[in-house]
Amino acid sequence: GAVVSQHPSWVICKSGTSVKIECRSLDFQATTMFWYRQFPKQSLMLMATSNEGSKATYEQGVEKDKFLINHASLTLSTLTVTSAHPEDSSFYICSAPRGRVRSGELFFGEGSRLTVL
Amino acid sequence: GIQVEQSPPDLILQEGANSTLRCNFSDSVNNLQWFHQNPWGQLINLFYIPSGTKQNGRLSATTVATERYSLLYISSSQTTDSGVYFCAVVRNSGAGSYQLTFGKGTKLSVIP
């Protein structure tokens, strides 16, 4: 069964609103989680690394004020897309390593498809 | 950062055929995983294989870490095998050495 759960799977919102996506590790604790973005027919691009109890680390070119990340507990990380615009429409997917961050097997959530009208 | 190259980019197979997907990477790695992305976008873990050989049913994988490549074998392909196969690695050291870096994927279509 799934070891990382992501919610919601689909979300449609109006331009200017904010959307929160949750990522939970179900049967293990994760001090670190990763958020990826995938455009149609492309590979996954890392957006940011979520760290429990500290600030997230963002990849170059990713606006930290637009994509707010909160790692509230050892099993939950949230991504909030603030003031969403149509260009933010994409497939967002989280992952968590089971075991050591550098060498542990990574498991992915089901993904969240965001459409901004 | 580390470079991950997958080949071929596209592959069409007749049901029942065998295939080999390749993943080359440019630096030493702590982690290498193969995923299958289904039509709904979910990434299914196939293998966690930083080195060695593993088999799971009709699928098997081999990673030769010293030569920086990994192979995914699919035997007796079925239409349900269709989708995109990704190879992803975690670099052993240096910048980004905890991040999973993805290749561009191989899109597999299995036709009846």
Side-chain angles (χ1 to χ4, degrees), chain A residues 2 32 34 36 38 41-44 46 49 57 59 91 93 101-110 113, chain B residues 30-31 33 35 37 39-43 45 47-48 86 90 92-93 97-105:
Chain A
T32 300
F34 302 97
Y36 290 81
Q38 186 180 31
K41 300 185 178 181
Q42 293 188 22
S43 188
L44 282 78
L46 180 67
T49 302
T57 305
E59 295 302 298
F91 187 65
I93 189 165
V101 174
R102 290 193 176 193
S103 58
E105 185 174 2
L106 278 102
F107 292 88
F108 283 79
E110 301 90 336
R113 198 166 301 278
Chain B
N30 273 333
N31 177 8
Q33 292 184 236
F35 299 92
Q37 188 168 38
W40 297 272
Q42 187 169 4
L43 283 168
N45 287 39
F47 293 102
Y48 168 73
F86 286 106
V90 175
N92 193 21
S93 62
S97 59
Y98 54 86
Q99 303 165 359
L100 196 66
T101 300
F102 281 79
K104 293 185 177 181

Side-chain angles (χ1 to χ4, degrees), chain B residues 30-90:
Chain B
N30 273 333
N31 177 8
L32 186 147
Q33 292 184 236
W34 284 96
F35 299 92
H36 175 212
Q37 188 168 38
N38 65 22
W40 297 272
Q42 187 169 4
L43 283 168
I44 308 300
N45 287 39
L46 297 178
F47 293 102
Y48 168 73
I49 189 167
S51 64
T53 297
K54 291 185 178 180
Q55 181 160 6
N56 184 6
R58 296 182 295 105
L59 302 181
S60 64
T62 295
T63 297
V64 183
T66 54
E67 296 187 22
R68 299 181 183 170
Y69 73 88
S70 183
L71 303 173
L72 176 68
Y73 306 95
I74 304 175
S75 63
S76 304
S77 59
Q78 300 176 358
T79 56
T80 51
D81 295 333
S82 297
V84 181
Y85 289 80
F86 286 106
C87 168
V89 303
V90 175

Side-chain angles (χ1 to χ4, degrees), chain B residues 11-23:
Chain B
L11 183 60
I12 300 174
L13 294 177
Q14 196 78 40
E15 196 169 25
N18 304 327
S19 64
T20 300
L21 282 58
R22 187 177 180 101
C23 173

Side-chain angles (χ1 to χ4, degrees), chain A residues 66-79:
Chain A
K66 166 163 278 296
F67 300 102
L68 299 180
I69 291 174
N70 183 24
H71 200 135
S73 74
L74 289 172
T75 58
L76 174 64
S77 175
T78 60
L79 169 68

